[in-house]
């Protein structure tokens, strides 16, 4: 994988800062041979306190004709699939409890959200049945909107009003409804890997969700990829059923995780504006953030070469 980033800021700008999500290995992905190079003034590796995401911070000080950074790494991923969904009546662990609480971007305590979650899960007992009911409702009641820039902003009220969006919008809606029903849930922010023969994956950022099932652990769900398949393949409900079943408890091997949970991020270096979510490279030019969903002044490409 190669990220080639150019910050097209005016030469006379005094200070440019950028935060890059640093991929790490886990049970389902291996990140190796990570290298970075550029004409930055300083760089550090740090960990974002809210989500725990590791990141590379680079800064360009003083006027410069060009500001660039290149990051390369090898990525190996495997399918994330939970084959048996077993629910036990055990307490939710303390480290998971925060994923039931409301946040600014996840307004699970908002009146309309709570009322809708109550209607969706009426008569359902237990976390597994509630999470499935919410997943099915989101799949049935939202559509993918290809005109939305990037992955969307993940605004629950706007997504409910439009009943459409991209992966951040649909995943955040699922998480908010799940938490409103008492189901621990969080967003997962990542990047799709290239498939055989694919080299340009600059538009490959993607997010999905997870819910916590006592007795099993974290379970992946991706209602947004169901709506994407329905749109791109023009599927009938019957034809979409295999996608619906697969993406409740599994996600494919063509993706890596960059961050789990965490919205409204403030980095250790004191970014001027809170970051909605940390999946794209994020940059500020003299304290003003660049829109990573509309990279007119924040050009980057992501290329993929299969080994």
């Amino acid at each position: 994988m190669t990220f080639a980033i150019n910050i097209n800021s005016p030469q006379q700008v005094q200070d440019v800062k950028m935060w890059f999500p640093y991929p790490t290995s886990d049970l389902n992905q291996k990140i190796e041979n990570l290298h970075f190079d550029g004409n930055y003034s300083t760089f550090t590796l740090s960990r974002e306190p809210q989500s725990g995401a590791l990141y590379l911070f680079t800064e360009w000080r003083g006027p410069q004709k060009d500001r660039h950074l290149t990051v390369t790494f090898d990525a190996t991923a495997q399918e994330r699939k939970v084959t048996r969904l077993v629910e036990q009546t055990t307490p939710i662990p303390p480290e998971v409890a925060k994923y039931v609480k409301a946040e600014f971007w996840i307004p699970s305590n908002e009146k309309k959200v709570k009322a809708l979650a109550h209607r969706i899960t009426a008569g359902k007992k237990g976390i597994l049945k509630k999470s499935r009911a919410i997943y099915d409702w989101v799949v049935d009641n939202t559509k993918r909107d290809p005109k939305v820039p990037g992955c969307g902003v993940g605004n629950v009220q706007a997504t409910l009003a439009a009943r459409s969006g991209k992966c951040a919008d649909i995943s955040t809606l699922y998480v908010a409804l799940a938490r409103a029903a008492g189901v621990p849930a969080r967003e997962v922010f990542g990047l799709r890997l290239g498939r055989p023969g694919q080299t340009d994956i600059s538009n490959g950022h993607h997010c999905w969700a997870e819910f916590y099932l006592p007795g099993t652990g974290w379970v992946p769900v991706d209602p947004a990829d169901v709506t994407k398949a329905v749109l791109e393949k023009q599927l009938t409900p019957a034809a979409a059923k295999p996608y619906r079943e697969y993406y409740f408890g599994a996600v494919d091997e063509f993706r890596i995780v960059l961050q789990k949970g965490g919205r409204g991020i403030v980095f250790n270096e004191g970014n001027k504006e809170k970051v909605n979510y940390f999946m794209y490279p994020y940059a500020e030019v003299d304290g003003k953030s660049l829109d990573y969903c509309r990279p007119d002044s924040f050009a980057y490409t992501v290329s993929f070469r299969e080994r």
Side-chain angles (χ1 to χ4, degrees):
M1 309 265 311
T2 301
F3 279 78
I5 304 168
N6 289 281
I7 301 179
N8 300 325
S9 52
Q11 182 175 342
Q12 68 272 19
V13 163
Q14 293 298 313
D15 187 53
V16 174
K17 298 178 179 180
M18 189 181 70
W19 294 262
F20 181 88
Y22 192 102
T24 56
S25 299
D26 61 26
L27 292 175
N28 300 109
Q29 67 187 41
K30 182 186 291 185
I31 306 298
E32 300 177 294
N33 302 321
L34 196 149
H35 301 282
F36 46 88
D37 185 40
N39 62 348
Y40 42 77
S41 304
T42 60
F43 77 92
T44 57
L45 282 175
S46 190
R47 193 173 294 277
E48 193 278 310
Q50 185 177 345
S51 67
L54 196 65
Y55 64 87
L56 171 67
F57 170 71
T58 54
E59 185 173 13
W60 292 262
R61 296 171 181 162
Q64 282 187 235
K65 189 174 182 180
D66 171 62
R67 299 172 178 91
H68 65 267
L69 171 70
T70 301
V71 182
T72 62
F73 57 89
D74 295 331
T76 306
Q78 64 184 22
E79 180 185 40
R80 293 167 166 83
K81 187 173 184 178
V82 181
T83 53
R84 292 183 68 246
L85 298 175
V86 178
E87 183 171 0
Q88 297 178 353
T89 55
T90 55
I92 295 173
E95 65 272 17
V96 176
K98 68 177 182 178
Y99 296 112
V100 188
K101 297 178 181 179
E103 302 175 31
F104 176 80
W105 285 103
I106 307 174
S108 52
N109 59 351
E110 198 267 336
K111 186 176 180 180
K112 290 184 179 179
V113 175
K114 287 186 70 70
L116 178 57
H118 179 73
R119 290 200 302 272
I120 294 170
T121 60
K124 306 295 183 183
K125 302 294 184 182
I127 285 178
L128 180 57
K129 290 183 178 180
K130 288 181 178 181
S131 60
R132 179 63 198 232
I134 291 167
Y135 170 85
D136 285 335
W137 186 93
V138 172
V139 169
D140 290 334
N141 291 275
T142 62
K143 296 180 180 180
R144 178 177 173 84
D145 183 356
K147 296 180 181 179
V148 171
C151 290
V153 298
N155 185 305
V156 172
Q157 292 89 344
T159 305
L160 278 175
R163 296 294 175 94
S164 64
K166 283 272 191 77
C167 56
D169 307 309
I170 294 171
S171 296
T172 299
L173 176 59
Y174 169 83
V175 170
L177 290 170
R179 292 189 186 185
V183 175
R186 65 187 179 188
E187 298 123 317
V188 182
F189 302 98
L191 179 69
R192 295 188 194 274
L193 301 177
R195 295 181 182 252
Q198 185 180 8
T199 56
D200 186 358
I201 56 171
S202 301
N203 295 320
H205 288 90
H206 179 57
C207 42
W208 57 102
E210 293 177 334
F211 72 92
Y212 185 84
L213 184 63
T216 298
W218 287 103
V219 179
V221 294
D222 196 345
D225 260 9
V226 183
T227 62
K228 182 180 181 182
V230 168
L231 174 67
E232 294 182 349
K233 301 177 185 295
Q234 295 296 296
L235 300 178
T236 64
K241 187 176 181 181
Y243 294 91
R244 180 196 294 261
E245 295 306 315
Y246 176 78
Y247 285 116
F248 185 82
V251 291
D252 57 75
E253 68 272 29
F254 297 101
R255 61 183 78 190
I256 59 172
V257 173
L258 297 174
Q259 177 207 338
K260 293 186 177 184
R263 301 287 295 275
I265 288 172
V266 177
F267 294 107
N268 295 326
E269 296 77 18
N271 45 304
K272 293 290 181 66
E273 300 182 27
K274 288 186 177 181
V275 181
N276 182 352
Y277 52 76
F278 190 40
M279 176 170 60
Y280 299 95
Y282 172 76
E284 292 183 348
V285 176
D286 281 348
K288 183 178 180 181
S289 65
L290 299 181
D291 188 347
Y292 42 72
C293 287
R294 301 179 186 271
D296 296 333
S297 61
F298 187 14
Y300 58 85
T301 60
V302 190
S303 57
F304 171 84
R305 181 166 58 87
E306 187 181 21
R307 290 188 184 277

